[in-house]
Amino acid sequence: MIKVVFFGTPQIAVQSLEYLNNSSQIEVVAVVTQEDKPSGRGHKLCAPPIKEKALELGLQVFQPKSIRKEPDIIEALKALNPDFFVTFAFGQILSQEVLDIPKYETINLHASLLPKYRGANPIQRCIYNGDKVTGITTMITVLELDAGDICKTEEIEITDTMTDVELAKIISEKSPQLLEETLIKLKSGELKTQKQDESLVTFANKFAKQDGLIDFSKKAKDIEYQIRAMYSWPNAFTYYKNKILKIMEAESIPYEGCEENGTVISVTKEGIEICAGTDKLLIKQVKPEGKGLMSAYAWANGSGISGGDKLGV
């Protein structure tokens, strides 16, 4: 059996933990995750999804504030004598002391085709940039961010309507098998790693809330990418009568005749057509300030917006 300590925090990593725990060739001996954090209006402490799953599976859980600064947890991990550490969206940087604990390696699952999109936000950035293909990579963890040798990769097609939520779900489903195969073949010596091509490195930084503000002078297609990439957070948004209007679904359409960006061309049952760049953007779903998701047509009827009006003000 391959002894593994699993490091992870959010929902995207849960399926991988459960899959490895059920593997006939792998024994998950412990889980390391982030601390419980306050959530909601009552600021009640909530456990990370990985902790909830680990407790359900009867696994030992460690929750360091900073794994690099907690010698008691480091010693406890050493005592487990693991073959591998597996990290998947853990959210903390590991020290060399921690990386040296497993008998073989620390393996990270990264949600891009490295060396493209190193960093914390590969899922949203690939959609934002209009990529047609992304993927997942298992890699040897080193101190430099996402710079270790590549073990295995798997490509994922980005469809024309895919949001970051939908892509994250696909990554969650495809990651477990790739991790299992990586661990088994690394231990057996069958898998030969490859160094990353440093000339192809790009980085994927997190979005800030203000990055969601739509600039209607941009190409309509680029705004569509922005909306899909930010579906989970921070949401692409504009203003109408000084109130925030989140745009949740839209489609770019070739168009000739736009004169002023952000101006409403027409309102139909399909949605609200807006001048954007040299084309038009058909807004289909919105979240008005203080309200839930609704069709753009329903919102238009309630707000009274019509042709010639302008968004962004």
Side-chain angles (χ1 to χ4, degrees):
M1 294 288 281
I2 301 171
K3 294 174 67 176
V4 166
V5 176
F6 190 96
F7 292 65
T9 300
Q11 185 64 40
I12 194 172
V14 167
Q15 197 165 334
S16 289
L17 170 61
E18 187 168 25
Y19 186 92
L20 293 179
N21 187 68
N22 291 333
S23 170
S24 61
Q25 299 185 62
I26 293 170
E27 178 188 5
V28 178
V29 295
V31 169
V32 183
T33 189
Q34 298 271 41
E35 294 182 305
D36 295 2
K37 293 184 178 180
S39 179
R41 292 183 179 179
H43 298 287
K44 181 180 178 182
L45 281 179
C46 293
I50 281 290
K51 178 184 177 181
E52 293 180 345
K53 178 56 66 174
L55 294 177
E56 178 187 318
L57 297 173
L59 298 172
Q60 183 178 14
V61 177
F62 298 99
Q63 290 183 275
K65 185 174 183 178
S66 174
I67 185 68
R68 297 176 295 171
K69 300 177 182 178
E70 302 203 25
D72 290 347
I73 292 180
I74 289 174
E75 290 305 313
L77 293 175
K78 289 178 180 178
L80 292 171
N81 195 30
D83 294 311
F84 292 94
F85 285 167
V86 170
T87 63
F88 187 178
F90 173 46
Q92 294 184 24
I93 297 174
L94 306 185
S95 65
Q96 191 62 53
E97 181 183 13
V98 174
L99 294 177
D100 289 341
I101 292 174
K103 180 178 179 182
Y104 294 96
E105 298 286 358
T106 296
I107 303 302
N108 180 56
L109 190 291
H110 187 73
S112 78
L113 295 173
L114 290 171
K116 195 170 187 179
Y117 298 127
R118 291 181 184 177
N121 199 20
I123 294 175
Q124 289 185 304
R125 286 290 177 182
C126 66
I127 296 176
Y128 184 86
N129 291 337
D131 293 359
K132 299 301 181 185
V133 176
T134 186
I136 50 177
T137 302
T138 51
M139 52 165 284
I140 307 295
T141 303
V142 294
L143 288 180
E144 186 180 351
L145 179 67
D146 299 326
D149 292 355
I150 293 170
C151 300
K152 295 187 71 64
T153 62
E154 183 171 347
E155 289 189 354
I156 297 171
E157 179 189 2
I158 301 175
T159 64
D160 291 340
T161 60
M162 185 179 287
T163 66
D164 65 322
V165 173
E166 293 165 340
L167 178 54
K169 184 175 183 294
I170 293 170
I171 288 170
S172 178
E173 292 168 350
K174 287 183 175 292
S175 297
Q177 294 90 339
L178 197 72
L179 277 167
E180 181 186 45
E181 187 176 351
T182 298
L183 294 170
I184 292 170
K185 291 192 174 182
L186 273 177
K187 187 177 181 184
S188 69
E190 295 177 61
L191 195 156
K192 303 301 179 184
T193 62
Q194 293 183 328
K195 292 193 176 298
Q196 296 188 39
D197 185 342
E198 293 295 321
S199 69
L200 300 177
V201 171
T202 63
F203 290 93
N205 298 324
K206 289 183 178 180
F207 287 121
K209 190 171 184 179
Q210 196 59 25
D211 290 331
L213 180 62
I214 295 172
D215 178 357
F216 286 105
S217 68
K218 290 184 176 180
K219 294 179 180 179
K221 195 67 177 177
D222 289 340
I223 298 173
E224 180 188 334
Y225 294 148
Q226 178 186 4
I227 293 164
R228 287 164 44 208
M230 298 183 179
Y231 189 87
S232 64
W233 191 92
N235 303 138
F237 69 94
T238 186
Y239 291 95
Y240 182 65
K241 294 184 177 179
N242 295 316
K243 289 188 176 182
I244 291 174
L245 178 68
K246 295 179 179 179
I247 312 300
M248 305 305 294
E249 183 184 357
E251 178 187 358
S252 59
I253 300 173
Y255 183 71
E256 294 181 5
C258 272
E259 295 182 0
E260 188 174 2
N261 292 316
T263 302
V264 177
I265 301 168
S266 66
V267 176
T268 69
K269 290 185 177 181
E270 291 186 349
I272 305 169
E273 294 183 333
I274 304 289
C275 286
T278 56
D279 295 314
K280 64 182 177 181
L281 189 74
L282 175 63
I283 298 173
K284 299 179 177 181
Q285 296 280 337
V286 299
K287 274 187 181 179
E289 189 172 318
K291 297 182 180 180
L293 183 68
M294 65 177 67
S295 73
Y297 179 64
W299 173 78
N301 285 338
S303 67
I305 194 170
S306 59
D309 290 342
K310 193 170 182 181
L311 291 180
V313 293

